[in-house]
Amino acid sequence: QVQLAESGGRLVQAGGSLRLSCAASGRALSNYALGWFRQAPGKGREFVARISRSGGITYYADYVKGRFTISRDNAKNTMYLQMNSLKYEDTAVYYCAARGRTGSINTRYDIDFWGQGTQVTVSS
């Protein structure tokens, strides 16, 4: 099994930038398709972005497209989420997620392993 640990969340002003990291341990990250999800207070956990095992294919939810960039460094066993032009509505706990089975990540039901989450708060 792989263990995931997010970091980098903090309070930031609207329009600002933030980079989240997801460090893996226990197994090589290259074995997994990866993604980022988020959950705002009172809402369900929603898909943000995904990246293929090699890092060559990425996909974003419409509400972050053009502002967020997902990447991974398999040699460092780490995934990233660069967030630019942050909005108040981006405030949420952000989770990194891994899928070991074949197939891609689309919803939270596609995930095999979760990190513990990191809080991102955007002030308006």
Side-chain angles (χ1 to χ4, degrees):
Q1 289 192 355
V2 64
Q3 291 80 46
L4 305 172
E6 305 93 334
S7 61
R10 61 176 175 86
L11 174 65
V12 62
Q13 286 189 333
S17 296
L18 206 56
R19 188 175 84 155
L20 305 182
S21 298
C22 173
S25 60
R27 202 161 177 230
L29 209 55
S30 56
N31 291 297
Y32 301 91
L34 300 174
W36 287 96
F37 286 72
R38 68 186 186 185
Q39 188 165 14
K43 295 188 177 181
R45 193 168 297 189
E46 63 181 9
F47 169 81
V48 173
R50 68 173 183 244
I51 188 166
S52 61
R53 285 168 173 77
S54 67
I57 301 173
T58 58
Y59 182 82
Y60 299 89
D62 286 343
Y63 35 81
V64 304
K65 196 175 296 182
R67 300 188 297 122
F68 290 12
T69 302
I70 188 172
S71 63
R72 65 191 294 166
D73 186 337
N74 287 339
K76 294 183 178 180
N77 243 22
T78 304
M79 175 178 62
Y80 306 97
L81 185 68
Q82 178 66 43
M83 304 186 293
N84 298 329
S85 302
L86 282 162
K87 304 176 182 180
Y88 174 77
E89 50 265 40
D90 293 320
T91 296
V93 177
Y94 283 72
Y95 296 89
C96 67
R99 177 182 173 93
R101 297 164 283 158
T102 56
S104 61
I105 292 171
N106 296 293
T107 73
R108 59 190 176 98
Y109 302 106
D110 299 321
I111 302 305
D112 297 319
F113 302 99
W114 293 98
Q116 83 287 350
T118 186
Q119 177 70 49
V120 173
T121 303
V122 184
S123 62
S124 57

PDB file of all heavy atoms in Angstrom, residues 84-106:
ATOM      1  N   ASN A  84      -2.947  29.031  -9.213  1.00  0.00           N
ATOM      2  CA  ASN A  84      -2.793  30.465  -9.481  1.00  0.00           C
ATOM      3  C   ASN A  84      -4.158  31.139  -9.550  1.00  0.00           C
ATOM      4  O   ASN A  84      -5.185  30.470  -9.704  1.00  0.00           O
ATOM      5  CB  ASN A  84      -2.044  30.675 -10.793  1.00  0.00           C
ATOM      6  CG  ASN A  84      -0.643  30.099 -10.772  1.00  0.00           C
ATOM      7  OD1 ASN A  84       0.018  30.044  -9.729  1.00  0.00           O
ATOM      8  ND2 ASN A  84      -0.172  29.660 -11.924  1.00  0.00           N
ATOM      9  N   SER A  85      -4.154  32.439  -9.448  1.00  0.00           N
ATOM     10  CA  SER A  85      -5.397  33.226  -9.537  1.00  0.00           C
ATOM     11  C   SER A  85      -6.475  32.650  -8.624  1.00  0.00           C
ATOM     12  O   SER A  85      -7.621  32.427  -9.037  1.00  0.00           O
ATOM     13  CB  SER A  85      -5.895  33.262 -10.986  1.00  0.00           C
ATOM     14  OG  SER A  85      -4.921  33.809 -11.840  1.00  0.00           O
ATOM     15  N   LEU A  86      -6.112  32.404  -7.398  1.00  0.00           N
ATOM     16  CA  LEU A  86      -7.035  31.759  -6.460  1.00  0.00           C
ATOM     17  C   LEU A  86      -8.248  32.633  -6.188  1.00  0.00           C
ATOM     18  O   LEU A  86      -8.160  33.868  -6.118  1.00  0.00           O
ATOM     19  CB  LEU A  86      -6.310  31.427  -5.169  1.00  0.00           C
ATOM     20  CG  LEU A  86      -5.428  30.177  -5.258  1.00  0.00           C
ATOM     21  CD1 LEU A  86      -4.407  30.149  -4.133  1.00  0.00           C
ATOM     22  CD2 LEU A  86      -6.291  28.921  -5.222  1.00  0.00           C
ATOM     23  N   LYS A  87      -9.391  31.967  -6.037  1.00  0.00           N
ATOM     24  CA  LYS A  87     -10.655  32.624  -5.761  1.00  0.00           C
ATOM     25  C   LYS A  87     -11.174  32.186  -4.396  1.00  0.00           C
ATOM     26  O   LYS A  87     -10.805  31.118  -3.891  1.00  0.00           O
ATOM     27  CB  LYS A  87     -11.681  32.253  -6.834  1.00  0.00           C
ATOM     28  CG  LYS A  87     -11.260  32.550  -8.250  1.00  0.00           C
ATOM     29  CD  LYS A  87     -12.302  32.051  -9.234  1.00  0.00           C
ATOM     30  CE  LYS A  87     -11.873  32.300 -10.669  1.00  0.00           C
ATOM     31  NZ  LYS A  87     -12.888  31.813 -11.647  1.00  0.00           N
ATOM     32  N   TYR A  88     -12.070  32.977  -3.850  1.00  0.00           N
ATOM     33  CA  TYR A  88     -12.650  32.634  -2.552  1.00  0.00           C
ATOM     34  C   TYR A  88     -13.277  31.247  -2.598  1.00  0.00           C
ATOM     35  O   TYR A  88     -13.160  30.466  -1.647  1.00  0.00           O
ATOM     36  CB  TYR A  88     -13.695  33.676  -2.176  1.00  0.00           C
ATOM     37  CG  TYR A  88     -14.459  33.333  -0.930  1.00  0.00           C
ATOM     38  CD1 TYR A  88     -13.894  33.499   0.333  1.00  0.00           C
ATOM     39  CD2 TYR A  88     -15.754  32.814  -1.005  1.00  0.00           C
ATOM     40  CE1 TYR A  88     -14.592  33.180   1.476  1.00  0.00           C
ATOM     41  CE2 TYR A  88     -16.461  32.495   0.131  1.00  0.00           C
ATOM     42  CZ  TYR A  88     -15.877  32.683   1.374  1.00  0.00           C
ATOM     43  OH  TYR A  88     -16.584  32.349   2.505  1.00  0.00           O
ATOM     44  N   GLU A  89     -13.916  30.924  -3.721  1.00  0.00           N
ATOM     45  CA  GLU A  89     -14.607  29.637  -3.841  1.00  0.00           C
ATOM     46  C   GLU A  89     -13.658  28.446  -3.972  1.00  0.00           C
ATOM     47  O   GLU A  89     -14.103  27.302  -4.001  1.00  0.00           O
ATOM     48  CB  GLU A  89     -15.582  29.645  -5.025  1.00  0.00           C
ATOM     49  CG  GLU A  89     -14.989  30.135  -6.315  1.00  0.00           C
ATOM     50  CD  GLU A  89     -15.255  31.626  -6.546  1.00  0.00           C
ATOM     51  OE1 GLU A  89     -15.191  32.415  -5.585  1.00  0.00           O
ATOM     52  OE2 GLU A  89     -15.515  31.987  -7.713  1.00  0.00           O
ATOM     53  N   ASP A  90     -12.353  28.702  -4.023  1.00  0.00           N
ATOM     54  CA  ASP A  90     -11.373  27.608  -4.005  1.00  0.00           C
ATOM     55  C   ASP A  90     -11.084  27.148  -2.584  1.00  0.00           C
ATOM     56  O   ASP A  90     -10.361  26.164  -2.385  1.00  0.00           O
ATOM     57  CB  ASP A  90     -10.061  28.035  -4.666  1.00  0.00           C
ATOM     58  CG  ASP A  90     -10.194  28.293  -6.151  1.00  0.00           C
ATOM     59  OD1 ASP A  90     -10.917  27.515  -6.820  1.00  0.00           O
ATOM     60  OD2 ASP A  90      -9.596  29.271  -6.646  1.00  0.00           O
ATOM     61  N   THR A  91     -11.630  27.855  -1.601  1.00  0.00           N
ATOM     62  CA  THR A  91     -11.426  27.474  -0.205  1.00  0.00           C
ATOM     63  C   THR A  91     -11.978  26.077   0.053  1.00  0.00           C
ATOM     64  O   THR A  91     -13.149  25.800  -0.221  1.00  0.00           O
ATOM     65  CB  THR A  91     -12.116  28.485   0.728  1.00  0.00           C
ATOM     66  OG1 THR A  91     -11.490  29.757   0.579  1.00  0.00           O
ATOM     67  CG2 THR A  91     -12.020  28.032   2.179  1.00  0.00           C
ATOM     68  N   ALA A  92     -11.123  25.197   0.574  1.00  0.00           N
ATOM     69  CA  ALA A  92     -11.522  23.801   0.798  1.00  0.00           C
ATOM     70  C   ALA A  92     -10.350  23.055   1.424  1.00  0.00           C
ATOM     71  O   ALA A  92      -9.220  23.561   1.471  1.00  0.00           O
ATOM     72  CB  ALA A  92     -11.910  23.125  -0.514  1.00  0.00           C
ATOM     73  N   VAL A  93     -10.646  21.849   1.878  1.00  0.00           N
ATOM     74  CA  VAL A  93      -9.579  20.907   2.207  1.00  0.00           C
ATOM     75  C   VAL A  93      -9.226  20.168   0.922  1.00  0.00           C
ATOM     76  O   VAL A  93     -10.117  19.644   0.240  1.00  0.00           O
ATOM     77  CB  VAL A  93     -10.005  19.910   3.296  1.00  0.00           C
ATOM     78  CG1 VAL A  93      -8.896  18.898   3.559  1.00  0.00           C
ATOM     79  CG2 VAL A  93     -10.373  20.653   4.581  1.00  0.00           C
ATOM     80  N   TYR A  94      -7.957  20.153   0.578  1.00  0.00           N
ATOM     81  CA  TYR A  94      -7.499  19.510  -0.648  1.00  0.00           C
ATOM     82  C   TYR A  94      -6.864  18.164  -0.303  1.00  0.00           C
ATOM     83  O   TYR A  94      -6.019  18.071   0.591  1.00  0.00           O
ATOM     84  CB  TYR A  94      -6.502  20.403  -1.376  1.00  0.00           C
ATOM     85  CG  TYR A  94      -7.179  21.528  -2.113  1.00  0.00           C
ATOM     86  CD1 TYR A  94      -7.750  22.592  -1.423  1.00  0.00           C
ATOM     87  CD2 TYR A  94      -7.277  21.525  -3.505  1.00  0.00           C
ATOM     88  CE1 TYR A  94      -8.411  23.613  -2.095  1.00  0.00           C
ATOM     89  CE2 TYR A  94      -7.919  22.539  -4.187  1.00  0.00           C
ATOM     90  CZ  TYR A  94      -8.489  23.584  -3.473  1.00  0.00           C
ATOM     91  OH  TYR A  94      -9.149  24.593  -4.137  1.00  0.00           O
ATOM     92  N   TYR A  95      -7.283  17.153  -1.074  1.00  0.00           N
ATOM     93  CA  TYR A  95      -6.818  15.793  -0.846  1.00  0.00           C
ATOM     94  C   TYR A  95      -6.081  15.263  -2.073  1.00  0.00           C
ATOM     95  O   TYR A  95      -6.567  15.436  -3.201  1.00  0.00           O
ATOM     96  CB  TYR A  95      -7.998  14.862  -0.582  1.00  0.00           C
ATOM     97  CG  TYR A  95      -8.781  15.175   0.662  1.00  0.00           C
ATOM     98  CD1 TYR A  95      -9.860  16.058   0.622  1.00  0.00           C
ATOM     99  CD2 TYR A  95      -8.465  14.574   1.883  1.00  0.00           C
ATOM    100  CE1 TYR A  95     -10.586  16.345   1.771  1.00  0.00           C
ATOM    101  CE2 TYR A  95      -9.192  14.851   3.028  1.00  0.00           C
ATOM    102  CZ  TYR A  95     -10.246  15.742   2.969  1.00  0.00           C
ATOM    103  OH  TYR A  95     -10.969  16.015   4.097  1.00  0.00           O
ATOM    104  N   CYS A  96      -4.964  14.603  -1.852  1.00  0.00           N
ATOM    105  CA  CYS A  96      -4.377  13.867  -2.960  1.00  0.00           C
ATOM    106  C   CYS A  96      -4.895  12.443  -2.919  1.00  0.00           C
ATOM    107  O   CYS A  96      -5.278  11.934  -1.854  1.00  0.00           O
ATOM    108  CB  CYS A  96      -2.856  13.920  -2.947  1.00  0.00           C
ATOM    109  SG  CYS A  96      -2.041  13.089  -1.595  1.00  0.00           S
ATOM    110  N   ALA A  97      -4.941  11.828  -4.080  1.00  0.00           N
ATOM    111  CA  ALA A  97      -5.591  10.537  -4.220  1.00  0.00           C
ATOM    112  C   ALA A  97      -4.851   9.675  -5.221  1.00  0.00           C
ATOM    113  O   ALA A  97      -4.300  10.200  -6.193  1.00  0.00           O
ATOM    114  CB  ALA A  97      -7.031  10.745  -4.684  1.00  0.00           C
ATOM    115  N   ALA A  98      -4.874   8.368  -4.991  1.00  0.00           N
ATOM    116  CA  ALA A  98      -4.162   7.441  -5.861  1.00  0.00           C
ATOM    117  C   ALA A  98      -5.071   6.283  -6.251  1.00  0.00           C
ATOM    118  O   ALA A  98      -5.892   5.819  -5.454  1.00  0.00           O
ATOM    119  CB  ALA A  98      -2.911   6.912  -5.165  1.00  0.00           C
ATOM    120  N   ARG A  99      -4.885   5.841  -7.501  1.00  0.00           N
ATOM    121  CA  ARG A  99      -5.634   4.689  -8.004  1.00  0.00           C
ATOM    122  C   ARG A  99      -4.628   3.669  -8.514  1.00  0.00           C
ATOM    123  O   ARG A  99      -3.842   3.983  -9.406  1.00  0.00           O
ATOM    124  CB  ARG A  99      -6.575   5.111  -9.126  1.00  0.00           C
ATOM    125  CG  ARG A  99      -7.341   3.957  -9.771  1.00  0.00           C
ATOM    126  CD  ARG A  99      -8.226   4.452 -10.904  1.00  0.00           C
ATOM    127  NE  ARG A  99      -8.832   3.359 -11.636  1.00  0.00           N
ATOM    128  CZ  ARG A  99     -10.025   2.864 -11.356  1.00  0.00           C
ATOM    129  NH1 ARG A  99     -10.748   3.375 -10.373  1.00  0.00           N
ATOM    130  NH2 ARG A  99     -10.518   1.850 -12.068  1.00  0.00           N
ATOM    131  N   GLY A 100      -4.684   2.468  -7.971  1.00  0.00           N
ATOM    132  CA  GLY A 100      -3.752   1.426  -8.383  1.00  0.00           C
ATOM    133  C   GLY A 100      -4.298   0.524  -9.469  1.00  0.00           C
ATOM    134  O   GLY A 100      -3.535  -0.124 -10.190  1.00  0.00           O
ATOM    135  N   ARG A 101      -5.632   0.501  -9.626  1.00  0.00           N
ATOM    136  CA  ARG A 101      -6.257  -0.336 -10.640  1.00  0.00           C
ATOM    137  C   ARG A 101      -6.137   0.324 -11.998  1.00  0.00           C
ATOM    138  O   ARG A 101      -5.836   1.511 -12.100  1.00  0.00           O
ATOM    139  CB  ARG A 101      -7.732  -0.529 -10.296  1.00  0.00           C
ATOM    140  CG  ARG A 101      -7.986  -1.262  -8.973  1.00  0.00           C
ATOM    141  CD  ARG A 101      -9.426  -1.057  -8.552  1.00  0.00           C
ATOM    142  NE  ARG A 101      -9.652   0.262  -7.992  1.00  0.00           N
ATOM    143  CZ  ARG A 101     -10.841   0.852  -7.931  1.00  0.00           C
ATOM    144  NH1 ARG A 101     -11.905   0.235  -8.412  1.00  0.00           N
ATOM    145  NH2 ARG A 101     -10.984   2.038  -7.379  1.00  0.00           N
ATOM    146  N   THR A 102      -6.411  -0.432 -13.047  1.00  0.00           N
ATOM    147  CA  THR A 102      -6.448   0.177 -14.375  1.00  0.00           C
ATOM    148  C   THR A 102      -7.642   1.116 -14.451  1.00  0.00           C
ATOM    149  O   THR A 102      -8.584   1.027 -13.651  1.00  0.00           O
ATOM    150  CB  THR A 102      -6.585  -0.897 -15.459  1.00  0.00           C
ATOM    151  OG1 THR A 102      -7.747  -1.694 -15.185  1.00  0.00           O
ATOM    152  CG2 THR A 102      -5.355  -1.807 -15.477  1.00  0.00           C
ATOM    153  N   GLY A 103      -7.606   2.017 -15.409  1.00  0.00           N
ATOM    154  CA  GLY A 103      -8.682   2.995 -15.541  1.00  0.00           C
ATOM    155  C   GLY A 103      -8.257   4.340 -14.984  1.00  0.00           C
ATOM    156  O   GLY A 103      -7.226   4.466 -14.312  1.00  0.00           O
ATOM    157  N   SER A 104      -9.069   5.341 -15.247  1.00  0.00           N
ATOM    158  CA  SER A 104      -8.707   6.707 -14.856  1.00  0.00           C
ATOM    159  C   SER A 104      -9.524   7.174 -13.659  1.00  0.00           C
ATOM    160  O   SER A 104     -10.476   6.520 -13.234  1.00  0.00           O
ATOM    161  CB  SER A 104      -8.896   7.660 -16.032  1.00  0.00           C
ATOM    162  OG  SER A 104     -10.248   7.678 -16.439  1.00  0.00           O
ATOM    163  N   ILE A 105      -9.144   8.319 -13.148  1.00  0.00           N
ATOM    164  CA  ILE A 105      -9.808   8.925 -12.003  1.00  0.00           C
ATOM    165  C   ILE A 105     -10.819   9.944 -12.497  1.00  0.00           C
ATOM    166  O   ILE A 105     -10.481  10.878 -13.223  1.00  0.00           O
ATOM    167  CB  ILE A 105      -8.768   9.607 -11.106  1.00  0.00           C
ATOM    168  CG1 ILE A 105      -7.873   8.553 -10.445  1.00  0.00           C
ATOM    169  CG2 ILE A 105      -9.444  10.468 -10.061  1.00  0.00           C
ATOM    170  CD1 ILE A 105      -6.684   9.139  -9.715  1.00  0.00           C
ATOM    171  N   ASN A 106     -12.058   9.753 -12.098  1.00  0.00           N
ATOM    172  CA  ASN A 106     -13.108  10.717 -12.456  1.00  0.00           C
ATOM    173  C   ASN A 106     -13.883  11.191 -11.230  1.00  0.00           C
ATOM    174  O   ASN A 106     -14.211  12.371 -11.116  1.00  0.00           O
ATOM    175  CB  ASN A 106     -14.074  10.100 -13.461  1.00  0.00           C
ATOM    176  CG  ASN A 106     -13.408   9.781 -14.778  1.00  0.00           C
ATOM    177  OD1 ASN A 106     -12.995  10.675 -15.514  1.00  0.00           O
ATOM    178  ND2 ASN A 106     -13.264   8.494 -15.076  1.00  0.00           N
TER     179      ASN A 106
END
